[in-house]
């Protein structure tokens, strides 16, 4: 809880061999949201689509419904 993983460059994610679902936010090079995938179950794949360059992975349920939408700009920071 409270943390996420930025993978760059990355345009697709799989959950093969994982035991838990993920929330994903695919971002462009300019950190604009390209696609949001909520609750991707184990043994599945998700693609960011055209313009995707990075992905932020987090535990399923981390993203509130409607929190992010394509076109939104995201600011990334580390602690």
């Amino acid at each position: 809880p409270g943390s996420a993983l930025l993978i760059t460059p990355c345009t697709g994610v799989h959950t093969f061999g994982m035991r838990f679902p993920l929330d994903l936010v695919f971002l462009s090079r300019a950190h604009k949201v390209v696609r949001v995938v909520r609750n991707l179950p184990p043994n599945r794949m998700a693609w960011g689509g055209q313009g995707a360059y990075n992905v932020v992975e987090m535990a399923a349920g981390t993203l509130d419904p409607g929190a992010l939408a394509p076109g939104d700009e995201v600011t990334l920071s580390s602690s």
Side-chain angles (χ1 to χ4, degrees):
S3 63
L5 175 67
L6 172 68
I7 304 172
T8 186
C10 182
T11 60
V13 171
H14 72 81
T15 56
F16 297 114
M18 296 182 74
R19 296 182 181 162
F20 51 88
L22 297 173
D23 283 350
L24 308 168
V25 180
F26 290 93
L27 303 171
S28 69
R29 286 181 185 256
H31 295 166
K32 291 198 178 207
V33 176
V34 174
R35 182 174 183 218
V36 177
V37 178
R38 288 182 174 80
N39 201 32
L40 181 69
N43 302 311
R44 299 289 192 277
M45 295 179 76
W47 301 105
Q50 186 173 355
Y53 183 75
N54 308 295
V55 67
V56 179
E57 286 187 0
M58 58 206 91
T62 301
L63 287 176
D64 291 331
L68 292 172
D72 289 349
E73 190 169 338
V74 174
T75 301
L76 303 172
S77 66
S78 62
S79 51

